[in-house]
Amino acid sequence: MLRRLVSGIAVVCVWGLVALIVALAYFSYTLPDVDRVAESGRRPGIFLNDVDGNPVLAKGDLYGDPVDAARLPAYVPRAVIAIEDRRFLEHGGIDPIGLARALWVNIVEGGVRQGGSTITQQLAKNVFLTPERSIERKIREALLAFWLEWRYDKNHIISLYLNRAYFGSGAYGIDAAARRFFSKPAAEVDLWEAAVLAGLLKAPSRLSPVANPGGAGERARLVLKAMAESGFISAEQAQAAAGSALRTRTAPDGRGYFADWVLAQVHRRMGLVDRDLRIATTFDPGLQWLAAETVAAALAGKTNPSQAALVAMAPDGAVRAMVGGRDYGESQFNRATQALRQPGSAFKLFVYLAALERGLEPDDIVTDARVNVGGWAPKNFDGRFRGSVTMREAFARSLNAAAVRLADRAGRARVADAARRLGITSDLAPDLTIALGSSGVRLIELTGAYAAFANGGRGVIPYGVREIAGVFQRAGTGAGEAVAPGVVASMNDLLTAVVKQGTGKAARLSDRPAAGKTGTSQSFRDAFFVGFTGNLVAGVWVGNDDGAPMDEVTGGGLPARIWHDFMAAAHEGAPVRPLPGIGTRKTPYPFRPRITGSTGARQPDRSNDP
């Protein structure tokens, strides 16, 4: 019976060995080619560079430049090794000691607290396998780990791992993560930043330094402790680095609005993107930060208005900054490019342009008196009419009745044509209400229209893309001459009067000339200020998404102050530049005092902004 027992055990062992050999042969035969480990196997990426060529914007999955671990600061790969696979330099792909330690910890803790997978196994899984939990996948993972260790040295394996691991926020590879979270390449991160990045590998979403800075910092300190215990750094170095503050530079400044706008243009031009795209944009991070800070400060503590938008561009239409709302994280709807809002008196630019092109001059007299068009009888903001006034005063004080009379005199068709010529593509009212901005427009197209008077009369098409490498190169300057130079000078005469003495006095800059126009829609639902100075044109809107009336906010109030604060900061220390046409004609003089009655008393200077 002993012989039978031994014989039976031997037969079972032999057949078990045969089965094992067959299984290993099968799994080995069905393994993917390890030479593919160097292939990316990833989706195409889209990289947006700012106006200076710096890669500060990215949408979707971000892949940085491939790194060689040997060329990185030593603490970068060591941080990953210390927290992910402390015996990486000693084992051959599978770590029995690490498996035993993880098993013991999990038994003691009563749950899964540690994993036994090595960096090599994780690389095999990331590149070749799915994350499914199955015996077959673990067998293939182990075989691939042995094969990778036989084929490549340790530096090559850790380099591949650092280039392929997911670090969260769409960043694949440590270089992409360093650029995403710290706006620098992986070769330039310090010890604390390396620990933060290494700590992300456990739970990239939950430990994001943007969404969970406390958790990311706590995990980074655990990484530093592991590095000290492994002898990679001294206890003093770990303690010094652990005291660092977590300062990510992901720029929570609303730049997502600009990126979304640019990518929509790219997709309309190219359709399905099937390759990496590197896009040179017009984006200026410094101006974007100023714009976001200014809008945030203006809305702080306010619930009505609850939203604001700002777009700033160069006189040729190159968009430098864009704030599409109060908080991009809460709402990706872009109020600068998507929302149709009534511009109110900001639309009078086109009324007065049409009148100037008909031969009128800023000093010509217009009548501000009661008008009735089929039962529609617009009033001025303060309910008063001023009789005979110059075009300059009517425009600066934003007198409604005068604007309606001018629109009728110039012709509604000419007003609409002036708007179309300067880039307004939204539908326009077919009646005289067009004079008071009754038709909804987008802030970006309205700002682009004003840009024509900042550049001497050339029509512009606002743009954000300068070049798509190997695909597209921007050429040309826009729509060409849209306004004659003499008319530009006259229009800028009127626009500067608004800021100097009219409804836009809150936008007045102390050290340089400025021009612009206020606008407020009916019942205070929308308030605008659009203007320019130097080499920058900016438009501001405030209001509520549901169109609810604001607490008597006018374009000459909060929007003008936002515009002033942004422009003042943007031009601090910049040379003063004259506005086009100003100086080629006589300097606008103050409004003549209106004399009434036998006393000769001067009427109060009440600004109004219908």
Side-chain angles (χ1 to χ4, degrees):
M1 291 191 58
L2 181 60
R3 285 198 303 270
R4 290 178 182 174
L5 179 61
V6 171
S7 177
I9 292 173
V11 169
V12 170
C13 290
V14 169
W15 281 109
L17 181 60
V18 170
L20 178 61
I21 293 173
V22 171
L24 291 177
Y26 167 76
F27 284 116
S28 298
Y29 180 76
T30 58
L31 287 180
D33 182 4
V34 294
D35 288 334
R36 284 176 39 222
V37 73
E39 299 176 4
S40 65
R42 61 175 177 83
R43 295 177 296 176
I46 301 179
F47 310 94
L48 308 181
N49 295 339
D50 66 20
V51 68
D52 294 320
N54 299 315
V56 297
L57 292 171
K59 293 294 289 185
D61 295 344
L62 174 63
Y63 295 83
D65 295 330
V67 299
D68 180 352
R71 296 180 179 273
L72 294 174
Y75 51 74
V76 174
R78 288 176 178 177
V80 174
I81 291 172
I83 197 65
E84 290 294 313
D85 184 5
R86 198 172 298 185
R87 285 174 35 82
F88 170 72
L89 299 176
E90 303 169 21
H91 63 67
I94 302 294
D95 183 13
I97 297 177
L99 285 171
R101 182 179 63 250
L103 179 61
W104 173 252
V105 170
N106 292 338
I107 292 174
V108 171
E109 297 289 336
V112 179
R113 297 292 182 270
Q114 286 190 10
S117 294
T118 65
I119 284 177
T120 315
Q121 288 176 275
Q122 293 180 52
L123 175 63
K125 180 179 69 174
N126 291 343
V127 176
F128 301 111
L129 306 173
T130 65
E132 67 171 331
R133 295 172 177 263
S134 66
I135 297 297
E136 292 83 355
R137 198 267 290 169
K138 294 298 292 185
I139 293 174
R140 287 190 171 91
E141 180 183 292
L143 290 174
L144 284 168
F146 284 128
W147 189 247
L148 288 169
E149 290 278 350
W150 176 79
R151 186 69 178 272
Y152 302 108
D153 61 29
K154 291 291 185 179
N155 179 72
H156 200 109
I157 291 173
I158 189 64
S159 297
L160 290 170
Y161 180 74
L162 292 176
N163 289 325
R164 300 303 297 273
Y166 181 59
F167 288 81
S169 296
Y172 289 83
I174 196 166
D175 188 68
R179 295 178 189 274
R180 176 75 89 187
F181 297 118
F182 304 114
S183 294
K184 62 176 69 172
E188 296 179 12
V189 299
D190 59 27
L191 176 58
W192 169 249
E193 292 166 341
V196 171
L197 294 175
L200 294 175
L201 293 166
K202 179 181 181 181
S205 298
R206 181 168 58 84
L207 296 175
S208 167
V210 176
N212 183 12
E218 182 179 352
R219 178 68 174 173
R221 284 184 279 275
L222 185 63
V223 173
L224 292 169
K225 180 181 177 182
M227 293 179 72
E229 292 174 350
S230 301
F232 293 148
I233 59 174
S234 66
E236 292 74 18
Q237 287 175 305
Q239 185 176 2
S244 302
L246 182 57
R247 296 187 179 91
T248 59
R249 295 179 58 193
T250 54
D253 53 14
R255 64 181 59 190
Y257 290 115
F258 178 88
D260 289 346
W261 176 63
V262 165
L263 290 177
Q265 294 177 318
V266 171
H267 286 301
R268 280 197 299 269
R269 175 176 291 274
M270 299 189 60
L272 179 66
V273 176
D274 58 358
R275 53 176 159 164
D276 284 355
L277 294 180
R278 295 194 176 273
I279 303 171
T281 75
T282 60
F283 182 78
D284 186 318
L287 289 179
Q288 177 68 29
W289 185 85
L290 287 177
E293 288 291 301
T294 303
V295 169
L299 292 180
K302 291 183 174 64
T303 57
N304 188 17
S306 59
Q307 287 290 351
L310 184 154
V311 60
M313 63 182 67
D316 70 344
V319 175
R320 301 298 188 208
M322 180 181 289
V323 178
R326 189 170 196 148
D327 187 338
Y328 179 79
E330 291 182 1
S331 170
Q332 289 78 54
F333 178 71
N334 193 333
R335 295 153 190 87
T337 63
Q338 294 175 287
L340 286 170
R341 293 289 187 165
Q342 290 184 349
S345 294
F347 197 86
K348 288 176 182 174
L349 174 84
F350 309 110
V351 175
Y352 280 75
L353 173 58
L356 291 171
E357 291 180 331
R358 289 277 284 170
L360 295 179
E361 293 285 343
D363 294 322
D364 286 343
I365 300 299
V366 295
T367 302
D368 179 51
R370 192 177 306 276
V371 62
N372 190 303
V373 182
W376 177 59
K379 298 179 180 179
N380 290 330
F381 182 75
D382 58 4
R384 298 169 53 239
F385 296 99
R386 288 171 173 77
S388 296
V389 294
T390 63
M391 282 184 63
R392 183 183 299 108
E393 181 174 357
F395 188 76
R397 295 193 189 281
S398 204
L399 303 179
N400 280 344
V404 172
R405 290 177 183 273
L406 274 176
D408 188 45
R409 182 174 175 180
R412 288 167 288 176
R414 287 188 174 87
V415 174
D417 175 71
R420 297 292 185 214
R421 199 177 346 127
L422 292 181
I424 301 297
T425 60
S426 307
D427 293 336
L428 299 177
D431 51 39
L432 276 177
T433 63
I434 189 177
L436 304 186
S438 61
S439 302
V441 300
R442 296 174 179 84
L443 177 62
I444 191 170
E445 62 182 354
L446 187 63
T447 307
Y450 277 73
F453 300 95
N455 66 34
R458 298 186 306 278
V460 304
I461 301 172
Y463 68 97
V465 177
R466 294 183 292 119
E467 180 182 1
I468 303 175
V471 177
F472 166 77
Q473 175 73 53
R474 180 176 171 80
T477 57
E481 183 176 287
V483 184
V487 177
V488 170
S490 295
M491 195 71 238
N492 283 347
D493 179 331
L494 303 181
L495 290 166
T496 54
V498 173
V499 176
K500 284 185 176 183
Q501 308 149 255
T503 58
K505 285 185 288 189
R508 186 188 303 162
L509 300 171
S510 61
D511 61 342
R512 65 193 64 244
K517 185 69 184 77
T518 56
T520 310
S521 66
Q522 189 174 16
S523 301
F524 305 99
R525 297 180 187 277
D526 303 283
F528 286 81
F529 186 87
V530 187
F532 52 90
T533 185
N535 61 350
L536 203 58
V537 188
V540 178
W541 165 87
V542 299
N544 297 305
D545 283 338
D546 60 1
M550 295 179 284
D551 297 331
E552 297 192 0
V553 175
T554 67
L558 186 60
R561 292 195 296 272
I562 292 174
W563 188 93
H564 168 274
D565 294 347
F566 169 70
M567 285 296 208
H571 287 86
E572 185 175 358
V576 177
R577 299 184 180 183
L579 302 181
I582 300 298
T584 62
R585 57 185 292 115
K586 62 183 181 181
T587 302
Y589 50 83
F591 303 144
R592 302 184 187 95
R594 299 286 316 287
I595 306 300
T596 61
S598 59
T599 63
R602 182 176 179 178
Q603 294 287 352
D605 180 11
R606 294 191 181 95
S607 296
N608 64 91
D609 179 25

